[in-house]
Amino acid sequence: MIALFNAQQSKEIDRRIIDEGEPGLKLMKRAAWHLFATVQSHYPHAQKLLVLCGTGNNGGDGLACAQFALLAGLDVSVFLSNENMHGDALSCLNELKALNADIRPLNDLEVFSQELGKTDLLIDALFGIGLNRPLNQASVQLIETVNTSPCPVISADLPSGLDADSGKHFGCAIKAEHTCTFLTRKVGLYTHLGPDFCGQIHYFDLHANLPQHISPVAYSHELNEWQPLIPTLSADNHKGRMGHVLLVGGHRNMMGAIQLSASACLHSGAGLTKIISDTQHLIPLTQQQPELMCYPPEALSEQLRQSDLLALGPGLGLDDWSGQLYQTCSQNNLPKVFDADALKWLAKTPVFNPQQILTPHPGEAAVLLDSDSRRIQQDRVGAIKAIQKKYGGVVILKGKGSLIYDGNRLELCPLGNPGMAVGGMGDVLTGVVAALWARGMTPFEAACTAVYIHAAAADECFKETGAAGLIPSLLPPKIGRLIG
């Protein structure tokens, strides 16, 4: 398990450590040493380093790293955004000047670009977690110059231009191969655009006794921390103990959505998986998957009485047929998993219900909050909390660094890959969530476990097929093996 913090919390932790007697310069030198050790570990043949430094503590980390590199005999050039430094960063600058280091002002992009072309490795220490405004044109041009260069980059604390809280960027961000982050793991490194810019993340705590009374924004666990929570099978087990799930959806040409969800539900161990779908789909669904129990819409009320849990939405649609099914389902007291079009129906008549799990992607989250997907992505943590406050239950906000929130606990899943951006992937997740909840897990445990297993199964497929070959129907058998 790892704890994730925002920028404000990270600054507070840094301040408290210093207030308790640890010199800030000592922390800066430790950060720089770990930064340089990462250089030596991953780029042992690099001889010429270029260090790009801003004016704050992040720039100080870069200046101190330049000292270690220079003393180790490397050829080092430092470019400063300006020399308006103070405190510990100024001390590191003065020490570097005393070593007669090559220090230049960053006032000529062409000169910087020429030097970058002769460099083995760039250390990015331009902007730290304090950045909270759009970049000016000069900074954008500088970062674009770095990103178009073949020179590899190691970023100090986080790639410059990236928001430590949300994973968005402020116009652009440096694309690093490695990011050395200090004192805390910043949530923005792990969600939204963060993973695209951070490369491999290396965490260094810098201090043996970090403050324990600042609650993290979120936690992130390993897959093997969730798997043991799945109910085990006893020798006398039978289908009645494994949960009866009713899936509703699959309108007209969207039979595939409900089929994918039902297949995932079966492979996740549900005792009975039932479907209410368009009448013309019932025979093909049964032929494709004999274990499914398929019923026409007229049987909905009866099947609701015989089921333990309802999953509503995959391929449901938004016409009158869909609305009638949704209306009947929404009036029932069964625990519910809402996905896809069911979320859009829910947004029309919001209901707060603690016994539901919502599984929106950013576009659906925008509908739930009467917003737009861009705003959702710019503050994913704020968005998922707003959805849960409005609708209750457990919310899964899908996307890179998927978030799960129950009003108290926030979990971030770091697994998954770009190949998952394909229609039907969310339908599979719905089936897994429904099955695990029906089998007896708590809603939060079922949601977290399902998200991790779903992403892990996709990562296994990705290794075999690549991004283009990763299709949702490949996942259910792998999901079954991961559930055990």
Side-chain angles (χ1 to χ4, degrees), residues 24-365:
L25 184 59
K26 189 175 181 180
L27 293 174
M28 188 172 287
K29 290 296 181 74
R30 283 178 181 164
W33 176 250
H34 288 300
L35 191 59
F36 182 57
T38 304
V39 172
Q40 292 179 307
S41 175
H42 292 276
Y43 302 94
H45 303 297
Q47 291 298 311
K48 181 169 178 56
L49 267 59
L50 192 156
V51 185
L52 182 58
C53 296
T55 59
N57 285 344
N58 191 251
D61 295 342
L63 293 169
C65 180
Q67 290 182 44
F68 290 126
L70 195 63
L71 292 171
L74 275 62
D75 183 358
V76 182
S77 295
V78 177
F79 279 80
L80 295 178
S81 60
N82 64 66
E83 291 196 26
N84 186 25
M85 292 186 168
H86 60 276
D88 298 327
L90 179 59
S91 297
C92 289
L93 176 60
N94 290 333
E95 291 173 359
L96 198 56
K97 287 180 177 179
L99 295 174
N100 295 317
D102 177 19
I103 303 173
R104 312 183 199 183
L106 189 60
N107 54 14
D108 191 325
L109 188 59
E110 184 175 349
V111 172
F112 172 80
S113 181
Q114 291 173 352
E115 194 68 23
L116 184 61
K118 300 181 289 185
T119 297
D120 297 324
L121 179 66
L122 172 71
I123 303 298
D124 160 37
L126 184 61
F127 301 122
I129 62 174
L131 183 66
N132 58 6
R133 64 188 184 280
L135 298 174
N136 59 33
Q137 185 176 0
S139 296
V140 170
Q141 291 176 336
L142 172 63
I143 290 175
E144 289 177 346
T145 298
V146 172
N147 287 344
T148 55
S149 166
C151 183
V153 178
I154 297 180
S155 288
D157 213 20
L158 78 166
S160 292
L162 191 72
D163 181 30
D165 294 353
S166 68
K168 69 180 181 181
H169 60 59
F170 293 99
C172 63
I174 284 181
K175 198 171 183 66
E177 291 190 359
H178 297 268
T179 297
C180 297
T181 196
F182 309 118
L183 284 181
T184 65
R185 294 177 174 89
K186 289 76 183 173
V187 65
L189 301 181
Y190 297 88
T191 192
H192 190 24
L193 301 176
D196 292 334
F197 288 91
C198 293
Q200 185 177 352
I201 299 172
H202 310 270
Y203 168 66
F204 304 101
D205 56 22
L206 304 186
H207 193 268
N209 298 304
L210 294 179
Q212 300 297 313
H213 49 282
I214 297 179
S215 299
V217 170
Y219 289 97
S220 185
H221 292 74
E222 297 289 336
L223 172 62
N224 59 17
E225 294 179 85
W226 293 110
Q227 287 168 309
L229 301 180
I230 300 172
T232 56
L233 305 182
S234 61
D236 64 343
N237 195 55
H238 58 79
K239 63 187 178 185
R241 295 178 180 173
M242 299 296 286
H244 295 185
V245 177
L246 180 63
L247 296 151
V248 179
H251 189 22
R252 291 180 183 168
N253 61 339
M254 294 183 286
M255 184 185 80
I258 200 71
Q259 188 277 325
L260 287 168
S261 189
S263 177
C265 190
L266 283 170
H267 283 86
S268 300
L272 288 177
T273 300
K274 306 176 182 180
I275 290 178
I276 296 288
S277 188
D278 194 306
T279 302
Q280 63 181 326
H281 296 158
L282 303 183
I283 293 176
L285 283 168
T286 306
Q287 290 173 330
Q288 194 278 333
Q289 190 87 61
E291 297 86 354
L292 296 177
M293 304 173 68
C294 302
Y295 302 90
E298 295 77 20
L300 177 57
S301 295
E302 179 185 356
Q303 292 307 316
L304 285 170
R305 288 193 295 270
Q306 297 178 17
S307 301
D308 299 320
L309 184 141
L310 170 65
L312 178 64
L316 179 63
L318 294 170
D319 62 7
D320 290 342
W321 181 90
S322 312
Q324 291 172 7
L325 289 177
Y326 177 82
Q327 186 69 18
T328 301
C329 290
S330 64
Q331 294 172 353
N332 188 275
N333 292 326
L334 283 178
K336 299 177 182 67
V337 179
F338 286 91
D339 183 35
D341 292 329
L343 295 167
K344 298 174 184 177
W345 284 107
L346 178 63
K348 293 180 180 181
T349 53
V351 175
F352 186 92
N353 181 2
Q355 282 296 102
Q356 62 188 12
I357 297 177
L358 312 184
T359 67
H361 57 53
E364 292 158 348

Side-chain angles (χ1 to χ4, degrees), residues 458-472:
D459 287 345
E460 286 189 13
C461 287
F462 181 82
K463 296 174 184 177
E464 301 169 2
T465 67
L470 177 52
I471 58 175

